[in-house]
Amino acid sequence: MDDDEVQLEWLEADLRRAAAVLDPPPAQLTALAVEAYALHDLDARIAELTFDSLTDALPVRGAGEVPRMLTFSAGELTVDVEVGADGLLGQVLPPQQASVEVLTGPHGGAELTADAMGRFACGTAPAGPFALRLRAGGEVVVTEWLRA
């Protein structure tokens, strides 16, 4: 790489930083981009959110920090997920081994493995919008995007 190419790369990096500070993308555009990223698996089935404890459960009086419970369904496949301060716990039903990826943006996230009972865990909770991509039995299933 010659000096001109290095200077162009530095200039481009400086311009990107300046644009991010002076003219950041609108929040709605960022959300749309994150949601559109899920479509790169065009053969994947989308798992619909069928239960969310934030909206579907009755509040428990006196309860402190309660984990968020989520259920996603795609045909016969169901994924139960608990998101709390201690991380993310889940189970694929019917129980089966699966590869589970926690998607947190364009670079992906944690790669998890569900055991024979369909259980998987991640020690850190997603900090922002997230989705799950499951590969089980030759199928690819992606959940809806949610904010943790």
Side-chain angles (χ1 to χ4, degrees), residues 27-37:
Q28 292 172 330
L29 179 62
T30 303
L32 285 172
V34 169
E35 291 172 5
Y37 177 74

Side-chain angles (χ1 to χ4, degrees), residues 125-145:
F130 77 98
L132 301 175
R133 180 183 299 128
L134 294 95
R135 298 179 198 285
E139 258 189 298
V140 178
V141 175
V142 178
T143 67
E144 294 181 31
W145 283 85

Side-chain angles (χ1 to χ4, degrees), residues 5-91:
E5 289 177 356
V6 170
Q7 287 180 351
L8 284 175
E9 284 185 16
W10 287 350
L11 177 61
E12 181 182 359
D14 287 344
L15 290 173
R16 287 184 186 276
R17 282 193 295 276
V21 171
L22 299 173
D23 189 22
Q28 292 172 330
L29 179 62
T30 303
L32 285 172
V34 169
E35 291 172 5
Y37 177 74
L39 296 178
H40 85 279
D41 277 336
L42 292 179
D43 60 339
R45 291 190 313 163
I46 303 296
E48 177 184 356
L49 180 66
T50 56
F51 177 81
D52 184 346
S53 62
L54 286 181
T55 58
D56 300 328
L58 295 173
V60 177
R61 195 172 166 189
E65 182 81 20
V66 179
R68 184 175 182 186
M69 305 298 292
L70 305 164
T71 300
F72 299 95
S73 298
E76 299 294 318
L77 186 75
T78 301
V79 182
D80 289 325
V81 181
E82 177 181 305
V83 182
D86 295 336
L88 183 136
L89 296 171
Q91 184 172 19

